Amino acid sequence: MATQREESGIVTLTEQGVKQVQDSPLWNDDLRPTTRAEHNWSGLSFATLWVGMCICIPTYTLAAGLIGLGMSVWQSIFTIFLGNLIIMVPILLNAHAGTKFGIPYPVFARLWFGSKGAHFPAMARAFVGAGWFGINAWIGGAALDTLLVTFYPAWANVSMHTGIIFLLFWLLTMIIAYRGPQAVKKLGAFSAPTLAILAIGLFIWAVVKADGFGPMLATPSKFETTGEFLNVFWPALTGVIAFWATLALNIPDFCRYAVSQKSQATAQVLTMPITMAIFSFIGVAVTSATVVIYGEAIWDPVQLLAKFPPYVILIGAVGIVLASITVNVSANLVAPARAIENLWPRRITFGIGAVITGLIGIAMQPWFILENFGNYIFGWLGTYGALLGPIDGIAVADYWMVRKRRLDLVELYRSNGKYSYASGFNMKSIYALALGIAASLLGLIVPGLSILWENAWTVGLFVSMFAYWWLMRTDASLLSQTEYEQITEISQLAKRENDSNVAL
């Protein structure tokens, strides 16, 4: 009897499939596969999601910070656009799995690491997300603190005033996040157009104050030779790629609600790279303008905000707060909360996971990460890119190269199923992960191989991808087309598509 049903490219559990695993310790209402009715996110939902996430302060500081490192405007834009095109590839590849099978990232990870081993990639993503949560909460709190000091100067004399506002902002974000990932769609629909208008307003101000495009875009590169430029370009490119390496892993958390593959893929391709390029251009252009206007590059928007009249500070603070909450709820809390929930599905809810994520974000000291741009791109982005790159490679290899998009949903929720491997751990994925990380670390150890570390995400991705494919190519957990059809009730349209894929 079929345990799953495929229709229009989307696979759901049948009633028989649900009965077999609904009492499993690996099952709860948040981690189960989505039903057909829950696939209700249109392309517009994904477009507003990405606009809301891209128009955020970390995007601005990433782009503006490249100017501070010595790049020209056009060198900065090129680096950012190239990095976003690269990371879009694994985003789309992993999004396909979430859309087709309706599973969240922690469950997806069971395929590669096993029912227990999946906690490692899930928690690795969780800690990075928690760090980003802390960064955005600190930025939002700092904006509110600036607003208070402007309208109530005595507030600056209160001991630890910035820390107090940070905690209040943290609490506000937690209240919104506690409502769950479906709240993201509503938040994005409101914040996306609002943030776009504020970004355009900031750009117009920069053009006017810098006396036109010429001066603001004329800031030259500080690099005298190609070699000097490449010494900054490679780690900067890794930082740009790593910026969305987290979403490249947990994009199934959102795409599991997609109406269709076409709608989510089209919306993401048209929205993310373009929005990142436009807002990055605004970031670097405004930062270049600050060199003309103030004689120094101000890449921190909160510091820039403090130089405006009070009414502008009020509008800007609202924008920064809205941007910080939007990206925090959508990009930085869903995946960590799901990962923590997956540690004990029968006891930990999404809301509890969100609260734990927020506490970890505080513990990771975001104020230190944002102390200077070197900490931000070379320390924070570069280091976690070396960890997430290999995991991205394993995810892509497993779904596309090893399993060829054929999964048994029921087995994902069995404690001793085929995806449990040896006592819940797939040692082949662990070996592949170790090889990917080791390849990048050679760049820190061996003189002359620094380019390996400077490109840690890319190096780790390809090394782990091909190592995993080689180790898993004949694994007993793989499903043949015949075995897949035995457990899947396939509509005639889906069957024709599958037959076409087999022929290819």
Side-chain angles (χ1 to χ4, degrees), residues 14-237:
T14 63
E15 291 185 10
Q16 181 63 29
V18 172
K19 289 179 181 179
Q20 289 188 25
V21 290
Q22 63 183 356
D23 294 324
S24 167
L26 298 179
W27 172 286
N28 72 13
D29 196 51
D30 291 322
L31 297 175
R32 61 167 175 77
T34 47
T35 64
R36 196 64 183 86
E38 289 171 324
H39 282 266
N40 54 21
W41 281 39
S42 65
L44 180 61
S45 299
F46 287 97
T48 56
L49 173 72
W50 274 112
V51 170
M53 290 194 298
C54 291
I55 303 181
C56 64
I57 305 310
T59 299
Y60 183 100
T61 53
L62 174 66
L66 295 181
I67 296 292
L69 289 175
M71 288 189 181
S72 69
V73 170
W74 303 115
Q75 287 172 337
S76 302
I77 296 301
F78 171 75
T79 302
I80 290 166
F81 186 67
L82 178 60
N84 281 295
L85 285 181
I86 292 172
I87 196 61
M88 178 52 66
V89 176
I91 285 175
L92 292 178
L93 293 176
N94 289 332
H96 190 283
T99 302
K100 182 173 182 177
F101 291 96
I103 51 177
Y105 170 61
V107 176
F108 187 34
R110 293 173 189 172
L111 282 170
W112 346 310
F113 277 81
S115 56
K116 294 180 180 178
H119 294 314
F120 176 77
M123 291 306 298
R125 167 64 180 93
F127 276 103
V128 173
W132 273 120
F133 175 86
I135 288 172
N136 279 281
W138 181 258
I139 290 172
L144 285 178
D145 187 60
T146 300
L147 180 65
L148 273 176
V149 170
T150 300
F151 288 95
Y152 184 57
W155 175 250
N157 299 322
V158 176
S159 178
M160 298 182 66
H161 57 91
T162 302
I164 294 172
I165 297 300
F166 162 66
L167 291 177
L168 290 175
F169 182 81
W170 177 92
L171 181 61
L172 172 63
T173 308
M174 295 307 307
I175 292 173
I176 296 173
Y178 198 87
R179 299 182 61 186
Q182 287 290 359
V184 174
K185 186 167 65 171
K186 298 178 181 178
L187 183 64
F190 170 75
S191 64
T194 304
L195 295 174
I197 292 171
L198 291 175
I200 293 171
L202 178 63
F203 180 70
I204 292 173
W205 167 84
V207 172
V208 173
K209 292 291 290 184
D211 295 325
F213 286 100
M216 71 185 294
L217 301 181
T219 302
S221 170
K222 295 180 181 179
F223 308 117
E224 297 182 358
T225 66
T226 301
E228 290 181 359
F229 170 70
L230 291 178
N231 285 337
V232 173
F233 171 75
W234 290 122
L237 181 65

Side-chain angles (χ1 to χ4, degrees), residues 112-458:
W112 346 310
F113 277 81
S115 56
K116 294 180 180 178
H119 294 314
F120 176 77
M123 291 306 298
R125 167 64 180 93
F127 276 103
V128 173
W132 273 120
F133 175 86
I135 288 172
N136 279 281
W138 181 258
I139 290 172
L144 285 178
D145 187 60
T146 300
L147 180 65
L148 273 176
V149 170
T150 300
F151 288 95
Y152 184 57
W155 175 250
N157 299 322
V158 176
S159 178
M160 298 182 66
H161 57 91
T162 302
I164 294 172
I165 297 300
F166 162 66
L167 291 177
L168 290 175
F169 182 81
W170 177 92
L171 181 61
L172 172 63
T173 308
M174 295 307 307
I175 292 173
I176 296 173
Y178 198 87
R179 299 182 61 186
Q182 287 290 359
V184 174
K185 186 167 65 171
K186 298 178 181 178
L187 183 64
F190 170 75
S191 64
T194 304
L195 295 174
I197 292 171
L198 291 175
I200 293 171
L202 178 63
F203 180 70
I204 292 173
W205 167 84
V207 172
V208 173
K209 292 291 290 184
D211 295 325
F213 286 100
M216 71 185 294
L217 301 181
T219 302
S221 170
K222 295 180 181 179
F223 308 117
E224 297 182 358
T225 66
T226 301
E228 290 181 359
F229 170 70
L230 291 178
N231 285 337
V232 173
F233 171 75
W234 290 122
L237 181 65
T238 293
V240 173
I241 293 171
F243 191 85
W244 289 122
T246 51
L247 262 293
L249 281 174
N250 80 285
I251 193 65
D253 285 330
F254 301 102
C255 287
R256 63 194 296 235
Y257 301 109
V259 170
S260 67
Q261 297 285 5
K262 182 179 180 180
S263 65
Q264 61 86 4
T266 302
Q268 293 193 87
V269 169
L270 294 179
T271 306
M272 191 276 263
I274 294 175
T275 304
M276 283 293 290
I278 292 174
F279 192 58
S280 296
F281 175 76
I282 291 174
V284 296
V286 171
T287 303
S288 293
T290 62
V291 176
V292 177
I293 300 167
Y294 302 111
E296 60 175 331
I298 303 176
W299 61 273
D300 185 345
V302 175
Q303 292 182 19
L304 179 60
L305 182 66
K307 295 181 177 295
F308 284 88
Y311 73 92
V312 178
I313 292 178
L314 174 61
I315 297 173
V318 171
I320 290 176
V321 167
L322 186 60
S324 298
I325 291 177
T326 299
V327 75
N328 251 356
V329 175
S330 56
N332 304 326
L333 267 175
V334 173
R338 285 275 186 260
I340 294 169
E341 180 183 17
N342 190 49
L343 293 173
W344 197 0
R346 289 293 180 180
R347 291 290 183 270
I348 301 177
T349 64
F350 177 87
I352 294 174
V355 172
I356 295 175
T357 298
L359 294 174
I360 295 174
I362 295 176
M364 294 183 72
Q365 304 179 70
W367 47 88
F368 172 75
I369 295 174
L370 291 173
E371 189 175 16
N372 64 67
F373 193 69
N375 290 345
Y376 181 52
I377 191 166
F378 298 133
W380 170 242
L381 293 175
T383 299
Y384 87 61
L387 172 62
L388 297 190
I391 300 176
D392 273 319
I394 290 172
V396 171
D398 183 274
Y399 183 71
W400 289 93
M401 300 166 65
V402 175
R403 303 192 192 279
K404 297 180 172 59
R405 307 183 301 283
R406 295 191 291 265
L407 315 180
D408 186 338
L409 282 176
V410 166
E411 292 295 321
L412 281 171
Y413 296 90
R414 293 190 191 278
S415 299
N416 297 306
K418 67 171 59 181
Y419 303 133
S420 292
Y421 302 99
S423 301
F425 295 90
N426 181 8
M427 297 306 299
K428 295 175 182 177
S429 62
I430 295 175
Y431 298 149
L433 176 66
L435 287 171
I437 295 176
S440 300
L441 289 176
L442 283 176
L444 287 177
I445 301 171
V446 180
L449 294 180
S450 60
I451 194 170
L452 295 178
W453 179 254
E454 292 169 355
N455 294 274
W457 182 88
T458 305

